[in-house]
mmCIF file of all heavy atoms in Angstrom:
data_model
loop_
_atom_site.group_PDB
_atom_site.id
_atom_site.type_symbol
_atom_site.label_atom_id
_atom_site.label_comp_id
_atom_site.label_asym_id
_atom_site.label_seq_id
_atom_site.Cartn_x
_atom_site.Cartn_y
_atom_site.Cartn_z
ATOM 1 N N HIS T 1 108.492 88.359 105.613
ATOM 2 C CA HIS T 1 107.286 88.048 106.048
ATOM 3 C C HIS T 1 107.111 86.525 106.520
ATOM 4 O O HIS T 1 106.069 85.946 106.472
ATOM 5 C CB HIS T 1 106.148 88.185 104.803
ATOM 6 C CG HIS T 1 106.187 89.659 104.354
ATOM 7 N ND1 HIS T 1 105.698 90.684 105.080
ATOM 8 C CD2 HIS T 1 106.676 90.109 103.116
ATOM 9 C CE1 HIS T 1 105.817 91.783 104.402
ATOM 10 N NE2 HIS T 1 106.510 91.474 103.227
ATOM 11 N N ASN T 2 108.231 86.132 107.115
ATOM 12 C CA ASN T 2 108.361 84.871 107.847
ATOM 13 C C ASN T 2 108.743 85.065 109.201
ATOM 14 O O ASN T 2 109.913 85.459 109.401
ATOM 15 C CB ASN T 2 109.302 83.957 107.047
ATOM 16 C CG ASN T 2 109.369 82.539 107.755
ATOM 17 O OD1 ASN T 2 108.881 82.374 108.915
ATOM 18 N ND2 ASN T 2 110.021 81.635 107.144
ATOM 19 N N PRO T 3 107.860 84.962 110.259
ATOM 20 C CA PRO T 3 108.199 85.415 111.658
ATOM 21 C C PRO T 3 109.042 84.467 112.312
ATOM 22 O O PRO T 3 109.290 84.712 113.565
ATOM 23 C CB PRO T 3 106.901 85.606 112.263
ATOM 24 C CG PRO T 3 106.006 84.563 111.528
ATOM 25 C CD PRO T 3 106.503 84.600 110.154
ATOM 26 N N SER T 4 109.520 83.368 111.827
ATOM 27 C CA SER T 4 110.352 82.341 112.535
ATOM 28 C C SER T 4 111.448 83.033 113.270
ATOM 29 O O SER T 4 112.094 83.918 112.874
ATOM 30 C CB SER T 4 110.854 81.397 111.477
ATOM 31 O OG SER T 4 111.666 80.387 112.083
ATOM 32 N N PRO T 5 111.700 82.393 114.496
ATOM 33 C CA PRO T 5 111.130 81.246 115.111
ATOM 34 C C PRO T 5 109.740 81.550 115.821
ATOM 35 O O PRO T 5 109.210 80.548 116.400
ATOM 36 C CB PRO T 5 112.103 80.929 116.264
ATOM 37 C CG PRO T 5 112.674 82.211 116.532
ATOM 38 C CD PRO T 5 112.846 82.923 115.292
ATOM 39 N N CYS T 6 109.207 82.803 115.754
ATOM 40 C CA CYS T 6 107.802 82.990 116.190
ATOM 41 C C CYS T 6 106.814 82.223 115.250
ATOM 42 O O CYS T 6 107.068 82.076 114.153
ATOM 43 C CB CYS T 6 107.547 84.371 116.458
ATOM 44 S SG CYS T 6 108.395 85.226 117.664
ATOM 45 N N SER T 7 105.640 82.062 115.805
ATOM 46 C CA SER T 7 104.602 81.616 114.937
ATOM 47 C C SER T 7 103.805 82.650 114.246
ATOM 48 O O SER T 7 103.275 82.417 113.205
ATOM 49 C CB SER T 7 103.480 80.870 115.841
ATOM 50 O OG SER T 7 104.156 79.631 116.477
ATOM 51 N N ALA T 8 103.925 83.871 114.851
ATOM 52 C CA ALA T 8 103.145 85.021 114.244
ATOM 53 C C ALA T 8 103.727 86.389 114.780
ATOM 54 O O ALA T 8 104.287 86.443 115.951
ATOM 55 C CB ALA T 8 101.690 85.015 114.601
ATOM 56 N N VAL T 9 103.831 87.367 113.994
ATOM 57 C CA VAL T 9 104.276 88.714 114.308
ATOM 58 C C VAL T 9 103.241 89.652 113.689
ATOM 59 O O VAL T 9 102.995 89.548 112.540
ATOM 60 C CB VAL T 9 105.683 89.034 113.972
ATOM 61 C CG1 VAL T 9 105.957 90.564 114.116
ATOM 62 C CG2 VAL T 9 106.623 88.354 114.706
ATOM 63 N N ASP T 10 102.576 90.554 114.534
ATOM 64 C CA ASP T 10 101.654 91.451 113.982
ATOM 65 C C ASP T 10 102.273 92.889 114.126
ATOM 66 O O ASP T 10 102.426 93.357 115.387
ATOM 67 C CB ASP T 10 100.364 91.277 114.761
ATOM 68 C CG ASP T 10 99.247 92.385 114.250
ATOM 69 O OD1 ASP T 10 99.517 93.060 113.316
ATOM 70 O OD2 ASP T 10 98.016 92.215 114.701
ATOM 71 N N LEU T 11 102.579 93.507 113.079
ATOM 72 C CA LEU T 11 103.103 94.856 113.160
ATOM 73 C C LEU T 11 102.187 95.907 112.537
ATOM 74 O O LEU T 11 102.606 96.915 112.136
ATOM 75 C CB LEU T 11 104.512 94.917 112.487
ATOM 76 C CG LEU T 11 105.589 93.981 113.020
ATOM 77 C CD1 LEU T 11 106.806 94.039 112.210
ATOM 78 C CD2 LEU T 11 105.945 94.292 114.403
ATOM 79 N N ALA T 12 100.957 95.514 112.475
ATOM 80 C CA ALA T 12 99.955 96.367 111.864
ATOM 81 C C ALA T 12 99.887 97.790 112.347
ATOM 82 O O ALA T 12 99.674 98.824 111.628
ATOM 83 C CB ALA T 12 98.583 95.831 111.907
ATOM 84 N N ASN T 13 100.178 97.933 113.638
ATOM 85 C CA ASN T 13 100.208 99.265 114.315
ATOM 86 C C ASN T 13 101.600 99.690 114.566
ATOM 87 O O ASN T 13 101.716 100.682 115.428
ATOM 88 C CB ASN T 13 99.292 99.178 115.520
ATOM 89 C CG ASN T 13 97.844 98.897 115.316
ATOM 90 O OD1 ASN T 13 97.309 99.536 114.473
ATOM 91 N ND2 ASN T 13 97.343 97.942 115.911
ATOM 92 N N GLY T 14 102.531 99.138 113.971
ATOM 93 C CA GLY T 14 103.886 99.493 114.193
ATOM 94 C C GLY T 14 104.502 98.634 115.306
ATOM 95 O O GLY T 14 103.977 98.007 116.052
ATOM 96 N N VAL T 15 105.873 98.728 115.195
ATOM 97 C CA VAL T 15 106.667 97.878 116.093
ATOM 98 C C VAL T 15 106.371 98.293 117.652
ATOM 99 O O VAL T 15 106.248 97.397 118.559
ATOM 100 C CB VAL T 15 108.222 98.028 116.028
ATOM 101 C CG1 VAL T 15 108.944 97.306 117.024
ATOM 102 C CG2 VAL T 15 108.504 97.423 114.653
ATOM 103 N N ASP T 16 106.219 99.567 117.958
ATOM 104 C CA ASP T 16 105.899 99.951 119.268
ATOM 105 C C ASP T 16 104.640 99.391 119.918
ATOM 106 O O ASP T 16 104.471 99.450 121.059
ATOM 107 C CB ASP T 16 105.903 101.456 119.412
ATOM 108 C CG ASP T 16 107.275 102.164 119.203
ATOM 109 O OD1 ASP T 16 108.243 101.365 119.329
ATOM 110 O OD2 ASP T 16 107.366 103.275 118.966
ATOM 111 N N LYS T 17 103.621 99.046 119.001
ATOM 112 C CA LYS T 17 102.418 98.471 119.440
ATOM 113 C C LYS T 17 102.109 97.069 118.955
ATOM 114 O O LYS T 17 101.030 96.624 119.073
ATOM 115 C CB LYS T 17 101.308 99.328 119.168
ATOM 116 C CG LYS T 17 101.373 100.729 119.923
ATOM 117 C CD LYS T 17 100.038 101.482 119.754
ATOM 118 C CE LYS T 17 100.146 102.701 120.655
ATOM 119 N NZ LYS T 17 98.845 103.518 120.792
ATOM 120 N N GLY T 18 103.194 96.484 118.402
ATOM 121 C CA GLY T 18 103.057 95.132 117.807
ATOM 122 C C GLY T 18 103.029 93.961 118.835
ATOM 123 O O GLY T 18 103.310 94.223 120.002
ATOM 124 N N THR T 19 102.770 92.750 118.329
ATOM 125 C CA THR T 19 102.847 91.583 119.171
ATOM 126 C C THR T 19 103.396 90.439 118.385
ATOM 127 O O THR T 19 103.384 90.394 117.141
ATOM 128 C CB THR T 19 101.428 91.203 119.640
ATOM 129 O OG1 THR T 19 100.562 90.884 118.439
ATOM 130 C CG2 THR T 19 100.674 92.313 120.435
ATOM 131 N N ALA T 20 103.991 89.484 119.212
ATOM 132 C CA ALA T 20 104.565 88.269 118.598
ATOM 133 C C ALA T 20 104.016 87.142 119.422
ATOM 134 O O ALA T 20 103.707 87.269 120.607
ATOM 135 C CB ALA T 20 105.997 88.320 118.717
ATOM 136 N N VAL T 21 103.846 85.990 118.732
ATOM 137 C CA VAL T 21 103.369 84.741 119.455
ATOM 138 C C VAL T 21 104.509 83.713 119.183
ATOM 139 O O VAL T 21 104.950 83.369 118.163
ATOM 140 C CB VAL T 21 102.092 84.256 118.797
ATOM 141 C CG1 VAL T 21 101.675 82.969 119.542
ATOM 142 C CG2 VAL T 21 100.946 85.361 118.864
ATOM 143 N N LEU T 22 104.984 83.128 120.348
ATOM 144 C CA LEU T 22 106.097 82.278 120.356
ATOM 145 C C LEU T 22 105.718 80.936 121.089
ATOM 146 O O LEU T 22 105.177 81.020 122.242
ATOM 147 C CB LEU T 22 107.283 82.911 121.009
ATOM 148 C CG LEU T 22 108.618 82.074 121.155
ATOM 149 C CD1 LEU T 22 109.192 81.719 119.717
ATOM 150 C CD2 LEU T 22 109.598 82.775 122.070
ATOM 151 N N LYS T 23 106.008 79.872 120.437
ATOM 152 C CA LYS T 23 105.859 78.540 121.151
ATOM 153 C C LYS T 23 106.738 78.507 122.301
ATOM 154 O O LYS T 23 107.965 78.646 122.139
ATOM 155 C CB LYS T 23 106.086 77.311 120.323
ATOM 156 C CG LYS T 23 106.003 76.000 120.896
ATOM 157 C CD LYS T 23 104.626 75.640 121.528
ATOM 158 C CE LYS T 23 104.758 74.286 122.222
ATOM 159 N NZ LYS T 23 105.572 74.311 123.428
ATOM 160 N N ASP T 24 106.252 78.218 123.525
ATOM 161 C CA ASP T 24 107.196 78.137 124.648
ATOM 162 C C ASP T 24 107.988 76.724 124.640
ATOM 163 O O ASP T 24 107.397 75.872 124.051
ATOM 164 C CB ASP T 24 106.395 78.290 126.012
ATOM 165 C CG ASP T 24 107.282 78.419 127.176
ATOM 166 O OD1 ASP T 24 108.062 77.561 127.592
ATOM 167 O OD2 ASP T 24 107.260 79.522 127.792
ATOM 168 N N ILE T 25 109.082 76.697 125.197
ATOM 169 C CA ILE T 25 109.798 75.348 125.188
ATOM 170 C C ILE T 25 109.177 74.398 126.216
ATOM 171 O O ILE T 25 109.525 73.248 126.130
ATOM 172 C CB ILE T 25 111.312 75.566 125.475
ATOM 173 C CG1 ILE T 25 111.497 76.280 126.834
ATOM 174 C CG2 ILE T 25 111.944 76.389 124.426
ATOM 175 C CD1 ILE T 25 113.007 76.293 127.251
ATOM 176 N N VAL T 26 108.456 74.982 127.164
ATOM 177 C CA VAL T 26 107.738 74.148 128.034
ATOM 178 C C VAL T 26 106.396 73.878 127.663
ATOM 179 O O VAL T 26 105.564 74.755 127.185
ATOM 180 C CB VAL T 26 107.658 74.861 129.394
ATOM 181 C CG1 VAL T 26 106.884 74.035 130.372
ATOM 182 C CG2 VAL T 26 109.163 75.102 130.007
ATOM 183 N N GLY T 27 105.892 72.554 127.745
ATOM 184 C CA GLY T 27 104.566 72.254 127.473
ATOM 185 C C GLY T 27 104.314 71.701 126.068
ATOM 186 O O GLY T 27 105.143 72.056 125.083
ATOM 187 N N ILE T 28 103.198 70.924 125.792
ATOM 188 C CA ILE T 28 102.945 70.469 124.549
ATOM 189 C C ILE T 28 102.212 71.574 123.646
ATOM 190 O O ILE T 28 102.288 71.418 122.414
ATOM 191 C CB ILE T 28 102.095 69.169 124.579
ATOM 192 C CG1 ILE T 28 100.764 69.423 125.301
ATOM 193 C CG2 ILE T 28 102.789 68.158 125.283
ATOM 194 C CD1 ILE T 28 99.846 68.235 125.229
ATOM 195 N N ALA T 29 101.610 72.529 124.210
ATOM 196 C CA ALA T 29 100.863 73.460 123.498
ATOM 197 C C ALA T 29 100.801 74.822 124.101
ATOM 198 O O ALA T 29 100.006 75.604 123.726
ATOM 199 C CB ALA T 29 99.346 73.025 123.273
ATOM 200 N N GLN T 30 101.853 75.197 124.906
ATOM 201 C CA GLN T 30 101.918 76.475 125.521
ATOM 202 C C GLN T 30 102.542 77.553 124.584
ATOM 203 O O GLN T 30 103.591 77.250 124.062
ATOM 204 C CB GLN T 30 102.756 76.400 126.873
ATOM 205 C CG GLN T 30 102.812 77.797 127.453
ATOM 206 C CD GLN T 30 103.619 77.877 128.602
ATOM 207 O OE1 GLN T 30 103.730 78.907 129.403
ATOM 208 N NE2 GLN T 30 104.503 76.899 128.907
ATOM 209 N N PHE T 31 101.828 78.552 124.401
ATOM 210 C CA PHE T 31 102.350 79.759 123.599
ATOM 211 C C PHE T 31 102.437 80.969 124.461
ATOM 212 O O PHE T 31 101.800 81.130 125.531
ATOM 213 C CB PHE T 31 101.505 79.971 122.385
ATOM 214 C CG PHE T 31 101.600 78.952 121.247
ATOM 215 C CD1 PHE T 31 100.973 77.806 121.384
ATOM 216 C CD2 PHE T 31 102.479 79.247 120.174
ATOM 217 C CE1 PHE T 31 101.213 76.814 120.316
ATOM 218 C CE2 PHE T 31 102.619 78.308 119.278
ATOM 219 C CZ PHE T 31 101.926 77.117 119.225
ATOM 220 N N LEU T 32 103.309 81.928 124.058
ATOM 221 C CA LEU T 32 103.449 83.234 124.701
ATOM 222 C C LEU T 32 103.095 84.324 123.853
ATOM 223 O O LEU T 32 103.534 84.364 122.593
ATOM 224 C CB LEU T 32 104.976 83.321 125.187
ATOM 225 C CG LEU T 32 105.548 82.194 126.013
ATOM 226 C CD1 LEU T 32 106.980 82.546 126.243
ATOM 227 C CD2 LEU T 32 104.765 82.056 127.327
#
C-alpha cells in the first residue's frame, strides 16, 4: 500500500481500469 515511486495508485476498479500519478522528472510541479 505504498505506491512509490508514484505518488498515488488507484486500483479500486481493478488494474485494467486503474490509474497512477507520477511526478515527472521535468518541471517543479508537473505530474503525469
Side-chain angles (χ1 to χ4, degrees):
H1 300 294
N2 179 353
S4 179
C6 289
S7 298
V9 170
D10 183 356
L11 300 176
N13 295 313
V15 173
D16 288 344
K17 294 194 174 191
T19 59
V21 179
L22 176 69
K23 173 66 181 69
D24 196 291
I25 59 174
V26 175
I28 61 174
Q30 181 188 188
F31 284 81
L32 305 176

